[in-house]
Amino acid sequence: MARLALTRELSPNIANGELTFVDRTPIDFDRARAEHDAYEAALRQVGYHVERLSADSEMADSVFIEDTAVVLDELAVITRPGAESRRRETAAVAKALRTHRPVAAILAPGTLDGGDVLTVGRTLFVGQATGSAGRTNASGLRQLAAFVGSQGYKVKPVRFHDCLHLKSAATQVGDDLLLVNPAWVDPTAFPGMRALEIDPAEPFGANALWVDDAVVYPAEFERTRERLERAGLRVIPVPAGELAKAEGGVTCCSLLLR
Ligand code: CIR
């Protein structure tokens, strides 16, 4: 049976989504939608069945479905997104996930964004932004640790700065390999992992989606792509420049049920 990728329709209101470290510039809706289609095609290419949930103008950031849940083999944890405007996104995702996994949910005052959770084996590295911009707070982290701890997972807080989520700064691209922007997170914060650094000219280049032996990766970041290929990885480039204007990357646009 094909593995499942949940994605979500682009909101007609995407131009009014949350922005933190990116200046607002016009988003070409048709181009953004074409990027999303290409992304879904890449997921199909690597063996996923894609189920796209619908969205509406009340959910400007709906396409970034990663932030609404943390999916593990044993359970799914529905988040309580750090941005108030995004909290209505979780209900439909919880409904979709319930048919595949037992579901738990982060409750107030906890906040947690899936983009802050980097799962490596049985360890969940959870981003804690320095300063006030963080989406994941201490209560969210504690609640997550309690849910997954009973399944044998460990949660390790990781400090990062100057970007939206932990996975803006570091993502897994191999069993023991991370793609990292060392300006935003200390590569030694991940014990046992090697770090492949992005090209410094491509600061947003650390967000890659690793699927088995391939990496779905923004076509715009050619220099870092070369580094990935030199490290022996098969890169599947996808156009991602419009969605980047909404401060999203490639991990953000799916929840993978492996
Ligand atoms: C937000 O600020 O919430 C959205 N505009 C972008 C979310 C990107 N998600 C992610 O990196 N996981």
Side-chain angles (χ1 to χ4, degrees):
M1 203 181 87
R3 295 161 300 172
L4 180 66
L6 289 183
T7 63
R8 193 151 199 187
E9 199 181 330
L10 224 70
S11 169
N13 200 21
I14 187 170
N16 293 311
E18 298 282 339
L19 291 180
T20 309
F21 291 95
V22 166
D23 291 333
R24 200 169 294 278
T25 52
I27 295 178
D28 181 325
F29 184 80
D30 289 336
R31 192 181 284 182
R33 193 160 50 186
E35 287 181 359
H36 195 229
D37 289 346
Y39 175 82
E40 291 178 337
L43 292 177
R44 288 190 195 96
Q45 187 187 328
V46 294
Y48 280 84
H49 171 76
V50 176
E51 184 183 328
R52 187 195 287 181
L53 307 185
S54 59
D56 58 34
S57 55
E58 298 294 302
M59 301 178 202
D61 282 308
S62 57
V63 70
F64 304 120
I65 191 171
E66 165 178 68
D67 293 317
T68 60
V70 176
V71 180
L72 302 171
D73 289 347
E74 300 81 357
L75 82 163
V77 178
I78 305 302
T79 66
R80 183 167 177 270
E84 203 280 330
S85 70
R86 301 201 55 191
R87 297 205 179 131
R88 56 175 70 86
E89 292 175 33
T90 56
V93 177
K95 187 168 174 225
L97 284 173
R98 232 172 252 131
T99 59
H100 303 282
R101 298 280 191 280
V103 161
I106 303 292
L107 302 177
T111 62
L112 180 79
D113 274 18
D116 278 329
V117 182
L118 172 60
T119 303
V120 178
R122 309 297 287 184
T123 303
L124 274 56
F125 295 102
V126 179
Q128 298 283 273
T130 49
S132 57
R135 295 282 177 90
T136 296
N137 68 14
S139 167
L141 190 145
R142 266 198 309 276
Q143 292 181 50
L144 177 70
F147 289 135
V148 303
S150 58
Q151 302 294 334
Y153 291 88
K154 286 205 182 83
V155 164
K156 287 195 191 308
V158 175
R159 287 265 157 216
F160 69 95
H161 50 90
D162 297 325
C163 60
L164 182 59
H165 288 126
L166 177 62
K167 279 190 280 188
S168 320
T171 51
Q172 188 177 18
V173 292
D175 286 326
D176 65 346
L177 187 63
L178 297 179
L179 183 62
V180 178
N181 178 344
W184 292 346
V185 71
D186 177 357
T188 66
F190 309 94
M193 301 299 286
R194 294 178 298 126
L196 177 66
E197 295 190 3
I198 51 126
D199 187 289
E202 298 171 343
F204 291 92
N207 187 264
L209 181 65
W210 182 49
V211 274
D212 303 333
D213 66 334
V215 174
V216 177
Y217 192 70
E220 293 77 18
F221 302 136
E222 292 175 1
R223 293 165 176 230
T224 303
R225 173 184 173 176
E226 248 180 70
R227 294 186 180 201
L228 287 163
E229 287 177 337
R230 261 188 273 132
L233 286 149
R234 180 166 72 91
V235 176
I236 303 177
V238 289
E242 286 305 306
L243 291 172
K245 294 179 186 170
E247 212 166 352
V250 285
T251 62
C252 326
C253 294
S254 59
L255 286 169
L256 302 183
L257 284 73
R258 303 187 191 240

